[in-house]
Amino acid sequence: MSKPVVFSGIQPSGNLHVGNYLGAVKHWIELQDSDKYDCYFCIVDYHSLTGNRGADERREQTLTTAAELLALGIDPNKSTLFIQSHVPECTELAWIFNTVTPVVELERMTQFKDKSKQQTKNINAGLFTYPVLQAADILLYHGELVPVGADQVQHIELTRNITRWFNKRYTEYFLEPKPLLTEAPKVMSLLEPDKKMSKSLGEGHVIELADEPKVIENKLKKAVTATTGGGKAPGVDNLLLLLEHFADGDVCQQFVKAEKAGKISYSELKGVVAEAVASSFADFRERRAHLLSDPAVLKAQLSDGAKKARVVAEKTMKEARELAGIK
Ligand code: AQP
């Protein structure tokens, strides 16, 4: 019996942050280690072309992202880990999907609207069709479960629709995938806690997993907690969420109680969060440095992953071409 396929991707647009970890990558590792799924994890460098970074930076960050995923526990013997552009079939399938996807549906995508505001001088067509390429990635491997953060749910819904549009126009072929969320599907920015933590917001907004303890401490010192006017402060909730996931259980409860009693010290909370996050990733930082010291080994692992992925991708693409009446 074949196992259900899990597929997910991450952009090489910067070092991984605690949002990427709690919302997605931690879940990837749990699913991989459960041994119940056939897991594909992809570093989506084609997707990252929609941003502003240069070629050299992209190439370097792609390897760094691979090292970070391996250092966190993605195991190439258990999962297929690869770089998206090493399996270019996804761009061909994306083209077919572009032709069944109504423009109005893409116009509804909140990520497109947000990114268009963030990069006003570079609102490229790739940014608009980004979720179509994402659908192609998932369906190329017949992904059934897609572990992502809350911000990606709308895109997975669109993937489900693309499946229906393709199947209706041609033949019932693709299965509709489902998003899988963690208990922390949306970690917020440290400086603007009404926005999700995002690499593209800038340095002070994110805690990178590779940040040294002092850096984490300094970032947390500047984190927005409660603003005047009372009410529930999203910045405080966000720090408590980090504590819940990175510190021992009762530590978080003590701060939750103190907050309810109006006796919480934000500077103390920030110090404890900094310590908990930094110590949770101490081993990771060592493994990451070790992996990055030998890029040839990393590249060989990624090339093996792409070979495995390509076997499935070529089969799907051959069938999809036939169904669409090309070749
Ligand atoms: N703040 C977050 N909380 C929970 N999950 C998150 N994810 C991202 N930010 C958070 C999830 O991480 C996975 C990989 O994300 P990505 O790098 O491919 O794309 P992204 O969502 O665009 O991440 P960023 O940090 O916001 O990158 P930029 O700024 O470059 O666009 C996804 O599953 C995502 O949901």
Side-chain angles (χ1 to χ4, degrees):
M1 265 274 284
S2 59
K3 297 176 185 176
V5 174
V6 165
F7 180 95
S8 199
I10 187 150
Q11 292 196 72
S13 52
N15 291 341
L16 297 191
H17 54 70
V18 289
N20 298 135
Y21 179 69
L22 291 180
V25 180
K26 183 170 180 255
H27 207 185
W28 298 4
I29 296 156
E30 288 162 2
L31 293 163
Q32 162 195 277
D33 291 343
S34 75
D35 212 24
K36 290 188 197 145
Y37 306 99
D38 187 8
C39 296
Y40 290 80
F41 300 118
C42 181
I43 301 163
V44 294
D45 54 348
Y46 281 141
H47 275 106
S48 78
L49 292 170
T50 60
N52 288 327
R53 282 165 194 258
D56 290 340
E57 213 183 334
R58 175 169 304 101
R59 204 169 289 120
E60 193 184 329
Q61 188 62 53
T62 299
L63 268 195
T64 303
T65 302
E68 294 199 328
L69 293 174
L70 293 166
L72 284 171
I74 296 295
D75 178 349
N77 295 315
K78 296 184 188 166
S79 296
T80 306
L81 175 68
F82 65 104
I83 299 174
Q84 184 185 31
S85 63
H86 290 185
V87 190
E89 280 80 359
C90 61
T91 58
E92 189 182 351
L93 189 59
W95 179 254
I96 296 180
F97 287 166
N98 270 329
T99 64
V100 298
T101 304
V103 167
V104 286
E105 296 288 340
L106 293 178
E107 283 170 346
R108 294 177 46 238
M109 296 296 117
T110 55
Q111 181 173 301
F112 173 66
K113 291 179 202 164
D114 292 346
K115 293 270 163 172
S116 301
K117 281 185 209 144
Q118 265 175 29
Q119 46 186 80
T120 48
K121 297 205 172 88
N122 183 15
I123 307 175
N124 57 78
L127 212 49
F128 188 61
T129 57
Y130 185 111
V132 181
L133 180 57
Q134 198 171 343
D137 276 329
I138 297 167
L139 296 176
L140 202 49
Y141 306 97
H142 300 284
E144 290 166 64
L145 300 166
V146 190
V148 284
D151 58 306
Q152 291 297 326
V153 169
Q154 192 185 33
H155 285 177
I156 311 307
E157 286 301 324
L158 186 84
T159 298
R160 292 168 64 81
N161 284 330
I162 290 176
T163 306
R164 282 187 220 127
W165 295 325
F166 178 95
N167 289 351
K168 188 159 178 259
R169 175 118 163 231
Y170 300 110
T171 303
E172 283 292 324
Y173 176 64
F174 290 112
L175 286 175
E176 287 179 35
K178 291 194 189 88
L180 277 186
L181 296 185
T182 65
E183 286 164 16
K186 196 170 186 184
V187 178
M188 309 310 275
S189 149
L190 296 181
L191 297 178
E192 291 177 75
D194 55 328
K195 295 188 180 145
K196 77 152 191 153
M197 183 178 282
S198 203
K199 297 167 207 135
S200 51
L201 285 178
E203 265 281 293
H205 292 260
V206 305
I207 303 175
E208 294 182 5
L209 308 187
D211 279 343
E212 291 297 330
K214 197 73 204 156
V215 174
I216 299 180
E217 195 185 314
N218 287 334
K219 284 181 178 176
L220 276 159
K221 275 189 186 150
K222 293 184 193 134
V224 171
T225 46
T227 42
T228 47
K232 252 181 123 31
V236 177
D237 285 348
N238 199 39
L239 297 187
L240 289 172
L241 177 88
L242 295 180
L243 211 52
E244 187 188 330
H245 288 274
F246 294 118
D248 295 334
D250 51 340
V251 177
C252 181
Q253 277 318 309
Q254 285 164 22
F255 279 96
V256 170
K257 271 192 209 143
E259 198 210 8
K260 279 196 185 129
K263 290 182 182 157
I264 191 166
S265 153
Y266 294 131
S267 65
E268 195 189 331
L269 172 66
K270 289 174 172 186
V272 175
V273 173
E275 162 63 29
V277 175
S279 59
S280 297
F281 294 103
D283 291 347
F284 161 82
R285 289 193 295 276
E286 265 183 39
R287 284 196 295 272
R288 175 187 190 270
H290 177 70
L291 286 159
L292 283 172
S293 70
D294 199 346
V297 172
L298 267 180
K299 285 181 188 166
Q301 283 178 328
L302 292 165
S303 157
D304 286 349
K307 270 187 214 139
K308 269 166 61 189
R310 207 148 185 191
V311 174
V312 182
E314 280 173 355
K315 180 169 183 292
T316 307
M317 212 43 247
K318 186 170 178 292
E319 290 167 358
R321 275 186 214 114
E322 275 166 17
L323 293 175
I326 46 177
K327 296 195 186 165

